[in-house]
Amino acid sequence: MTDHKLDHMIAKSKTLSPVDELTKAQVKVELKRLTLELESHDKHYYQEDAPKITDAEYDALRKRFNAIEARFPEFVTGDSPSQKIGAQPSGRFAKVRHAVPMLSLDNAFAEDDVVDFAARIRRFLRLGDDDKIDFSAEPKIDGLSMSLRYEGGELVTAATRGDGAEGEDVTANIRTLKDVPKLLKGRNVPEVCEVRGEVYMTKQAFLALNERQKAAGDTVFANPRNSAAGSLRQKDAAITASRPLGFFAYAWGQMSAMPADTQSGMIGWFERCGFRTNPLTKLCHSVEQLIAFHRKIEEQRGKLDYDIDGVVYKVDRIDWQERLGFVSRTPRWAIAHKFPAERAITVLRDIEIQVGRTGSFTPVGKLEPIGVGGVIVQNVTLHNEDYIKGIGGDGEQLREGRDIRIGDTVIVQRAGDVIPQVVDVVLDKRPRNAKVFHFPKKCPCPLHTDVVREETATGEEGARARCTGEFACPYQKIEHLKLFASRRAFDIEGLGEKQIEFFFEKEWVREPADIFTLPARNNRIRLEENEGYGETSVRNLFAAIEERRRIALERFIFALGMRHVGETTALVLARGYGSWKAFHDACLKVAKGDEEAIAEMDALDQIGDTVIASIKAYFGESHNRGIVERLTKEVTIVDAEKPKSNSAIAGKTVVFTGSLEKMTRDEAKAMAERLGAKAAGSVSKKTDYVVAGPGAGSKLADAKKHGVEVLTEDEWLDLIGQ
Ligand code: IVH
């Protein structure tokens, strides 16, 4: 069906009579029409990934269809959309908030990193050299993580990881996996169990699926991970059911009771419940055994029928896991020991300059396309001017004695999700006409501003070049708008990089607020008259924009695109200040150099000079303040969720000083944060408690100066009920 016809039908359906008033003759025609429409939208959404109507519009069609069928069951046919196996009730996958966030793992690449990991744990827990730490060592499956929620032993929700806080509800699809029990086996299973693990596709199934896809002229997947993701994101669970997906259980989220007190015990329990766990999982008793495990699994890697990209080590004792806790988004008690990066040889065809959101230049190598570790690579980062010239500062460095020229044969490396890079040049193969690349002195943007090299922390000239156009540079503006609309920030469906470039060129969107005023200006713009747009797609886009007028504070802060304020930092700031007003007031004060506001920001965990300098620079600039002011008129910013806690110290600010006897200072800080307090680095009048051990110095004096309550370690432990 053409879009035009669909538009016409939808328009017509809006003027249709209420279900109660339909005659039998009308019902027949109406059901047929709705069936065709729903099928067409399902195809656009699931197979083409290009929906033509919004979720709400789709839901309305479905609702009308269901209401008619319910009233006239005699008209329900075998091929009705309501009869499809596993058909979902409506629309896109609903969002599911994870009861316990799904976090990721820190990486170790070298054996020394593993030694450090174990030493850090030992220090944190204050273990002696003779105390043994057991680790569960497991293959790191290269699939998609999944959280399965069971209530009363019954599978109720399956959710993807999403951004860690919120994932997509793929329950109907997950129910088709044979490795996932619908009911947990065994008696006395806790009332609430969230079992987490990895959904994957075997290499063999991946190859067979691609053959079938190719034969049918459908999407061919780049690797088993993508094919697993694509198979799971099917609207029609019958398609998921036809794709052989496996599941290994290896972790948990919310549990109303713990059936074991070790990681290995939990793995045993998962098996008793009816899950598959990875058969290569092994309990190791020393760092040497961990490293031997890594070597052994690496040897077996090629022979396994599923992709793995490393191994994971987890402290086995769960009480230790709890004490160790998390640093930002990764646990202190686990680490992924990755396998070495995969490499391939190809030719460098050209070098282009990419201007980033903050004006920094990245030279991008254009390659003769080459497969590296199952993915086709065409672009590589060449980092900076010095990297290309083969002269090194302390940053990234090419193999010694090499430089990169256009036409060179290069060795490309790809490690996990890291952007591929050139690590070496095959000098023997350098053609005579290989061209030395001259780094631009002017920004390629229409302003042709001068290019400067950034200063390093020590004030020397750094390797990174930047455009000096700042907010006047259109490249920077476009890059910021792309980030703003992206999945990790405002997540505006249908406003991808291409659309941003197009809207920017047309001067319809020059700054974030313009996105929200676009619908109201459309009677002048008439977007639907442009190639690639129709009435439905414009309606979809505007509905997506409307949907995002409410935004969580952390996403909003991240979306501003300040340098050094990534998602984690944005989250820390959002939690630290709670509301946009509090954060904004603080930023304006910081920009004016207000010492107290700076000290307060500095007191937030993980916020230091670099972030503060960046916030100061951003809010010190009137142009940026204007952008923010216009934007905040268009959106509603939702306050950050304060960490939930009933503890006596929730919401309080604590400073630890001197040496503690029962635990390390890091552990005390982590414990305070778990209980909802803020562990600060310096004492101000906003500090609630100073916990002082022997050897406390100036902070104790500061506490007295500001009249802050001082506690001994034991008093502190009493206060938090430990
Ligand atoms: S544990 C708190 N164990 O790796 C961390 N993750 O880089 C819980 N993964 O998102 C994760 N195999 O998708 C864990 N045996 C394993 C794993 C594993 C694969 C994935 C998982 C996670 C990612 C982190």
Side-chain angles (χ1 to χ4, degrees):
M1 191 181 312
T2 63
D3 282 358
H4 178 72
K5 267 194 187 152
L6 257 182
D7 278 346
H8 184 65
M9 281 184 147
I10 293 166
K12 248 178 72 188
S13 76
K14 296 214 163 106
T15 58
L16 285 172
S17 1
V19 174
D20 286 352
E21 292 168 18
L22 289 176
T23 63
K24 286 206 172 184
Q26 283 173 320
V27 164
K28 233 175 147 177
V29 177
E30 182 73 346
L31 280 180
K32 184 76 199 153
R33 187 184 69 80
L34 285 168
T35 302
L36 283 176
E37 250 183 77
L38 288 168
E39 280 174 0
S40 161
H41 287 307
D42 282 348
K43 186 162 161 279
H44 284 307
Y45 184 73
Y46 294 106
Q47 291 167 32
E48 292 159 16
D49 221 359
K52 301 277 176 215
I53 55 173
T54 64
D55 289 358
E57 286 167 332
Y58 182 91
D59 287 349
L61 288 179
R62 265 275 178 188
K63 215 169 140 195
R64 182 170 173 86
F65 182 85
N66 292 344
I68 299 176
E69 272 200 344
R71 197 163 162 243
F72 300 96
E74 64 272 31
F75 287 112
V76 179
T77 60
D79 59 358
S80 155
S82 63
Q83 302 301 300
K84 265 197 215 158
I85 309 160
Q88 299 251 342
S90 76
R92 268 175 226 156
F93 299 103
K95 295 266 194 247
V96 179
R97 189 151 265 282
H98 299 299
V100 174
M102 289 182 81
L103 303 165
S104 57
L105 294 168
D106 199 3
N107 291 325
F109 294 99
E111 293 181 356
D112 276 354
D113 298 338
V114 181
V115 174
D116 291 347
F117 162 69
R120 266 198 311 273
I121 292 173
R122 210 169 265 290
R123 262 199 315 276
F124 192 97
L125 296 175
R126 283 230 169 139
L127 298 178
D129 290 345
D130 296 335
D131 293 319
K132 285 256 171 289
I133 312 176
D134 288 343
F135 293 95
S136 169
E138 312 167 3
K140 185 169 186 297
I141 320 296
D142 197 7
L144 292 108
S145 46
M146 186 62 53
S147 187
L148 309 172
R149 186 176 173 92
Y150 292 82
E151 286 175 7
E154 201 176 321
L155 176 65
V156 288
T157 329
T160 60
R161 177 175 185 275
D163 62 4
E166 213 176 57
E168 284 185 320
D169 184 342
V170 289
T171 317
N173 304 31
I174 282 293
R175 280 182 191 283
T176 69
L177 267 65
K178 66 173 185 352
D179 293 348
V180 173
K182 275 23 121 232
L183 278 176
L184 296 182
K185 280 193 203 153
R187 286 197 206 132
N188 300 332
V189 290
E191 176 55 29
V192 176
C193 303
E194 277 182 9
V195 178
R196 292 180 173 174
E198 204 84 354
V199 172
Y200 66 96
M201 188 179 277
T202 64
K203 295 178 190 167
Q204 207 187 350
F206 156 71
L207 293 173
L209 172 63
N210 263 359
E211 284 303 318
R212 291 204 302 274
Q213 297 283 103
K214 219 187 287 169
D218 280 339
T219 331
V220 173
F221 297 103
N223 51 44
R225 186 177 191 281
N226 288 7
S227 67
S231 301
L232 204 63
R233 279 195 92 260
Q234 291 293 329
K235 184 57 190 204
D236 184 350
I239 299 182
T240 310
S242 74
R243 309 261 178 93
L245 295 172
F247 178 79
F248 285 127
Y250 54 64
W252 59 94
Q254 191 185 5
M255 296 288 298
S256 55
M258 285 298 282
D261 53 14
T262 56
Q263 171 76 24
S264 45
M266 284 300 284
I267 289 185
W269 180 75
F270 292 148
E271 286 168 5
R272 292 196 294 283
C273 286
F275 286 100
R276 281 182 67 219
T277 62
N278 192 283
L280 303 170
T281 301
K282 189 172 179 249
L283 194 62
C284 292
H285 309 287
S286 65
V287 170
E288 292 71 33
Q289 287 184 9
L290 293 180
I291 288 169
F293 178 81
H294 181 262
R295 290 201 189 131
K296 190 166 147 235
I297 301 292
E298 195 182 353
E299 275 169 26
Q300 296 183 18
R301 183 184 188 185
K303 292 188 215 108
L304 298 177
D305 195 26
Y306 45 87
D307 270 345
I308 59 173
D309 56 348
V311 294
V312 184
Y313 310 134
K314 301 174 183 170
V315 169
D316 199 42
R317 272 178 62 166
I318 295 172
D319 60 336
W320 281 359
Q321 290 187 1
E322 281 165 0
R323 278 178 62 192
L324 285 156
F326 294 82
V327 200
S328 111
R329 288 168 162 255
T330 60
R332 278 194 194 84
W333 46 266
I335 201 159
H337 189 180
K338 302 298 269 294
F339 293 138
E342 308 208 43
R343 293 180 169 194
I345 295 188
T346 188
V347 173
L348 178 71
R349 292 273 170 239
D350 201 0
I351 298 178
E352 286 177 4
I353 294 292
Q354 215 172 56
V355 186
R357 173 173 56 83
T358 57
S360 63
F361 282 14
T362 307
V364 176
K366 300 282 165 182
L367 301 177
E368 194 62 38
I370 178 90
V372 194
V375 167
I376 304 291
V377 175
Q378 314 199 39
N379 298 320
V380 278
T381 174
L382 300 175
H383 301 289
N384 52 54
E385 184 175 6
D386 292 352
Y387 193 83
I388 297 175
K389 286 185 178 159
I391 50 178
D394 44 23
E396 300 283 352
Q397 223 172 322
L398 193 62
R399 177 153 168 212
E400 223 183 316
R402 306 285 201 269
D403 69 323
I404 302 172
R405 300 188 192 173
I406 298 170
D408 266 339
T409 294
V410 293
I411 299 180
V412 177
Q413 171 173 298
R414 194 187 137 255
D417 291 337
V418 182
I419 304 167
Q421 55 174 344
V422 164
V423 287
D424 200 356
V425 177
V426 187
L427 288 182
D428 292 351
K429 293 204 171 172
R430 174 167 282 170
R432 283 209 179 165
N433 60 354
K435 256 183 21 208
V436 172
F437 178 71
H438 296 288
F439 213 80
K441 300 267 174 286
K442 300 271 181 198
C443 179
C445 76
L447 298 171
H448 290 300
T449 49
D450 286 340
V451 169
V452 292
R453 301 238 318 208
E454 266 178 0
E455 274 186 11
T456 64
T458 52
E460 289 155 48
E461 186 184 68
R464 254 195 187 277
R466 302 169 48 79
C467 162
T468 46
E470 295 287 339
F471 57 80
C473 169
Y475 280 20
Q476 295 186 45
K477 286 190 191 174
I478 292 189
E479 290 310 311
H480 175 227
L481 285 165
K482 286 181 187 169
L483 171 105
F484 184 87
S486 71
R487 210 171 91 84
R488 296 185 301 152
F490 266 70
D491 191 15
I492 301 175
E493 186 109 20
L495 196 55
E497 304 206 339
K498 277 208 192 92
Q499 287 80 6
I500 293 274
E501 278 167 18
F502 177 60
F503 291 0
F504 190 86
E505 242 168 63
K506 291 273 193 187
E507 302 197 0
W508 295 335
V509 173
R510 307 295 285 194
E511 63 173 66
D514 296 345
I515 295 174
F516 295 97
T517 60
L518 191 66
R521 288 183 285 129
N522 197 43
N523 48 5
R524 214 161 9 95
I525 292 171
R526 304 213 54 80
L527 182 54
E528 58 281 4
E529 286 165 14
N530 288 270
E531 209 188 308
Y533 284 95
E535 301 227 332
T536 8
S537 54
V538 170
R539 204 163 43 221
N540 284 346
L541 174 65
F542 291 173
I545 292 173
E546 281 313 314
E547 240 174 68
R548 293 293 184 258
R549 276 195 200 264
R550 266 177 81 78
I551 182 100
L553 179 58
E554 61 270 24
R555 277 188 183 253
F556 185 85
I557 296 176
F558 172 67
L560 292 180
M562 290 182 280
R563 292 179 72 195
H564 308 294
V565 181
E567 282 168 288
T568 310
T569 307
L571 185 63
V572 172
L573 291 166
R575 292 209 172 135
Y577 289 96
S579 71
W580 165 250
K581 181 167 183 331
F583 175 65
H584 187 230
D585 287 351
C587 290
L588 296 179
K589 285 188 188 157
V590 166
K592 286 200 180 122
D594 181 315
E595 300 270 328
E596 202 176 313
I598 293 176
E600 198 188 335
M601 196 172 277
D602 195 30
L604 291 174
D605 196 28
Q606 302 169 61
I607 306 288
D609 293 349
T610 319
V611 171
I612 291 176
S614 167
I615 289 178
K616 195 169 172 187
Y618 185 92
F619 281 93
E621 179 57 64
S622 70
H623 173 87
N624 292 335
R625 291 197 301 270
I627 284 185
V628 169
E629 197 180 311
R630 288 187 289 279
L631 175 60
T632 47
K633 288 206 178 104
E634 298 295 330
V635 298
T636 308
I637 305 165
V638 181
D639 289 353
E641 278 175 34
K642 294 258 179 199
K644 284 190 202 101
S645 173
N646 306 322
S647 79
I649 59 155
K652 307 274 187 203
T653 303
V654 191
V655 173
F656 294 93
T657 178
S659 58
L660 303 179
E661 277 160 4
K662 308 243 159 73
M663 61 184 75
T664 57
R665 221 183 307 166
D666 276 345
E667 184 174 2
K669 274 174 111 175
M671 189 187 279
E673 277 162 10
R674 260 200 313 275
L675 294 170
K678 201 153 72 180
S682 58
V683 181
S684 74
K685 65 177 188 215
K686 299 220 167 124
T687 311
D688 294 289
Y689 301 108
V690 167
V691 181
S698 64
K699 285 183 191 159
L700 198 53
D702 288 345
K704 294 208 173 107
K705 188 171 101 195
H706 293 293
V708 176
E709 190 173 345
V710 179
L711 305 175
T712 63
E713 186 177 359
D714 284 339
E715 285 167 341
W716 160 251
L717 291 173
D718 268 354
L719 179 70
I720 61 174
Q722 300 273 323

